[in-house]
Amino acid sequence: MRWALFGVSVLVGCVSSHPLDPEWRRQRAVAATEANAPVLRLDWQVIGQSVEGRPLRIARLGNGPRRVLWVGGIHGDEREGHLATAELPRAFVDTPGATAMVTLTILEDANPDGSAANTRANKRGVDLNRNYPANNYLPGDGRGERPLDQPEAAALHDLVLAERPHLVIVAHAWRGDHFINFDGPAEAERMAQLFSRHSGYRVKPSDKIAPTPGSLGSWVGRTLGMPILTLEYLRGSDPLGVWIDTRKAILAVILGG
Ligand SMILES: [Zn+2]
């Protein structure tokens, strides 16, 4: 494996890493070796802290007018998207024209405590994907006492409002199936169809899924009216394989088709 600084002006600073996950590191090493590509070094910025004090980190790539936010995970026991999150910077800057067209913001992990403990919820037992001020928010039962009463949810909320992205993409995993779900205006469905064409993943509207009160999709898509894709990888699948399967689709929706 070759390690090198890469000559892109926005890419300076500390080394990209992922919390405490030897399997992730092994997969990352395999991916880098197979691609024979240097690992990008990203300029991570801390936008908040988890309940246990872990940093919530973002990196920005490109400087184009289209703003896209990628969220690497929000349920800590759905780790299939972590490798895609690590590979995305390299793939993005290697795509011709991408950095001039798009400003890509990557939130590495919206629930680092859950990832460290391999739990769906955060340290307080709150499902962060039910803690947003959507019109359908319901308090209690692992959803928090009020919207944004968890620091991880509040940090991502503030990031979305500051960035006002043209598209949000959030990685999850689903038992027994993979698909692309969307919320928001017609553009959200167009992005889901584009993703589907490049990946073979079926488009699954939110009304075909059990209700998700206070979810990020409900808040961003339906309350704010901004396009959001919820990418459901097959739970338990090989992270490298699903990244390869969805790489083209992820880049297509980031560029906007
Ligand atoms: Zn999930």
Side-chain angles (χ1 to χ4, degrees), residues 13 31 76 94 111-112 117 137-138 188 196 198 201 207 212 221 229 246:
D94 282 351
N111 183 11
Y137 175 78
L138 291 171
S196 179
H198 284 282
Y201 280 34
D207 60 9
T212 56
L229 297 179
T246 54

Side-chain angles (χ1 to χ4, degrees), residues 40-60:
L40 285 176
R41 293 178 181 234
L42 303 178
D43 183 12
W44 291 105
Q45 299 171 43
V46 176
I47 60 160
Q49 283 197 337
S50 68
V51 171
E52 289 192 308
R54 291 186 172 85
L56 301 163
R57 307 194 310 171
I58 62 166
R60 282 204 182 79

Side-chain angles (χ1 to χ4, degrees), residues 74-75 78 120 129 172-173 232:
I74 194 166
H75 289 141
E78 300 173 8
R120 176 181 175 90
N129 202 36
H172 286 257
E232 295 283 0

